[in-house]
Amino acid sequence: MKIIDRLNENKIHISFEIFPPKTDAGYEKVRKAAEEIAGLRPEFISVTYGAGGGTSKNTAKIASYIKHDLHVESLAHLTCASSTKEEVHQVIENLKELGIENILALRGDIPQNTVFPSEDRYHYAYELVEEIRKSGDFCIGAACYPEGHVENEHKEDDIKYLKQKVDSGVDFLTTQMFFDNDIHYNFLYRIREAGITVPVLPGIMPITSARQMKRSCELSGTVFPRRFQAILDRFGDSPEAMEQAGIAYATDQIIDLLANGVKNIHIYSMNKPEVAAAIMRNISEIIKC
Ligand code: FAD
């Protein structure tokens, strides 16, 4: 089933993201997390993609397991900067053979020990989108950044390039995490003004530890509002209290989004089924409205 067909239905859809193990030894733990999260019956589960090696191989394996064994639709992430065009092509063919119908097309981080840009690699995600479109009948998602992408000084350029990416054949967008919903509403206004009309799934990250917050900040440049900083200052030293507060904060964001007419929400569940389950419990009646 193509995810875009579900997103176009006029009802609420909740989805989750998990990440694959770095080594084969960690596979069983991730498989178990996927099974428990699938038990919450989300609309789909996305599986992130790492740079080469075991992680990228396990993305296809777990995405296939979610779809065929757990009977929940899956979305396989695919990045292009760390692989050659030929390697990317092989991954797409493999996904096709496994019956995966949905791909999140990403550039990924620029590899450190390789000449980049180079002729044998895609430089931007829009080129990967074009390649996936040519290669098969896939539903294609892509990333967007309500606070702007870290590499781009000018937010207007970001939206111009986002439009180019969507016009290359993107069916829907998923946002980078954000912790202030007003930033998301403002972003939506600006991209609609720019003529980007595809569904946008806000990405909600439940922050359940001080360490996770620090890491998220470093990776994405996301701004933490004063309200969230106060939670961290007060409860950051107690793992139990921080988890409860992080779940409550994410729930609050989700309720506000739903109350403001947003239909599709993607939750970065970080392979924590208990966090995913707690959020689903908190909104169980709300999503029926
Ligand atoms: P692009 O859309 O190519 O944009 C990258 C930068 O180039 C931006 O600054 C953009 O404005 C600029 N740009 C785009 N087109 C042009 C152009 N024609 N000319 C000049 N500049 C241009 N990373 C992983 O490694 N694995 C994952 O599984 C993963 N999943 C993610 C899921 C989501 C929802 C999000 C938001 C991010 C994810 N990432 C993942 C991180 C992502 O790979 C990085 O943020 C990466 O730096 C940018 O990827 P992109 O696909 O947005 O790139």
Side-chain angles (χ1 to χ4, degrees):
M1 172 95 181
K2 299 214 166 47
I3 287 169
I4 186 61
D5 294 336
R6 302 246 174 108
L7 300 181
N8 282 332
E9 296 163 359
N10 188 25
K11 58 188 270 254
I12 291 168
H13 302 108
I14 306 289
S15 52
F16 291 105
E17 177 181 289
I18 62 170
F19 54 84
K22 285 204 169 60
T23 62
D24 288 348
Y27 183 80
E28 183 50 28
K29 199 167 166 214
V30 178
R31 191 201 62 74
K32 187 85 186 27
E35 189 179 290
E36 286 182 41
I37 291 172
L40 301 169
R41 307 313 301 166
E43 223 43 60
F44 67 89
I45 299 176
S46 71
V47 187
T48 64
Y49 191 87
T55 321
S56 53
K57 186 184 68 192
N58 280 325
T59 298
K61 193 172 166 188
I62 292 176
S64 175
Y65 174 72
I66 290 168
K67 183 179 170 77
H68 301 298
D69 297 80
L70 303 178
H71 307 292
V72 168
E73 198 46 69
S74 64
L75 169 67
H77 293 204
L78 173 59
T79 68
C80 58
S82 59
S83 312
T84 64
K85 290 179 183 174
E86 183 47 39
E87 286 163 347
V88 168
H89 186 72
Q90 281 167 15
V91 177
I92 297 170
E93 288 305 309
N94 183 36
L95 291 172
K96 209 192 293 179
E97 278 163 26
L98 291 170
I100 304 294
E101 293 176 84
N102 305 287
I103 302 179
L104 192 78
L106 301 143
R107 187 200 67 186
D109 290 331
I110 293 178
Q112 298 296 319
N113 307 320
T114 317
V115 180
F116 191 92
S118 76
E119 265 302 298
D120 66 342
R121 282 164 203 258
Y122 298 110
H123 302 157
Y124 296 110
Y126 84 88
E127 298 168 287
L128 175 62
V129 172
E130 287 172 349
E131 165 65 17
I132 298 170
R133 268 279 162 261
K134 274 192 286 181
S135 303
D137 182 22
F138 291 104
C139 164
I140 305 175
C144 63
Y145 305 83
E147 294 175 58
H149 185 256
V150 278
E151 285 168 32
N152 235 329
E153 226 174 281
H154 305 291
K155 289 204 173 116
E156 296 319 310
D157 285 349
D158 229 30
I159 291 186
K160 182 177 82 187
Y161 294 133
L162 183 62
K163 173 92 169 73
Q164 176 191 35
K165 182 159 70 173
V166 170
D167 289 347
S168 307
V170 169
D171 293 306
F172 69 93
L173 294 166
T174 306
T175 75
Q176 177 66 282
M177 67 184 111
F178 56 87
F179 298 92
D180 176 349
N181 286 1
D182 284 344
I183 290 175
H184 180 67
Y185 299 136
N186 185 279
F187 173 70
L188 273 185
Y189 177 80
R190 285 184 295 123
I191 65 168
R192 297 308 185 212
E193 282 274 286
I196 297 171
T197 57
V198 295
V200 178
L201 280 68
I204 299 298
M205 168 83 86
I207 296 282
T208 54
S209 74
R211 206 176 113 253
Q212 186 193 351
M213 175 180 169
K214 190 166 171 285
R215 197 168 147 66
S216 303
C217 241
E218 280 164 9
L219 287 177
S220 64
T222 306
V223 172
F224 283 89
R226 194 201 54 76
R227 196 162 79 86
F228 193 90
Q229 191 62 53
I231 290 175
L232 193 82
D233 291 345
R234 178 73 180 81
F235 308 116
D237 290 336
S238 162
E240 293 79 14
M242 193 55 218
E243 180 167 311
Q244 209 166 41
I247 289 169
Y249 193 93
T251 302
D252 190 47
Q253 272 195 284
I254 293 169
I255 293 173
D256 179 71
L257 288 164
L258 295 174
N260 280 284
V262 171
K263 296 281 182 205
N264 307 302
I265 302 215
H266 194 55
I267 302 172
Y268 296 115
S269 52
M270 305 298 290
N271 296 9
K272 291 183 182 159
E274 68 287 359
V275 172
I279 293 176
M280 287 306 266
R281 265 196 309 278
N282 287 346
I283 58 171
S284 59
E285 291 303 318
I286 289 165
I287 57 178
K288 289 183 196 157
C289 287

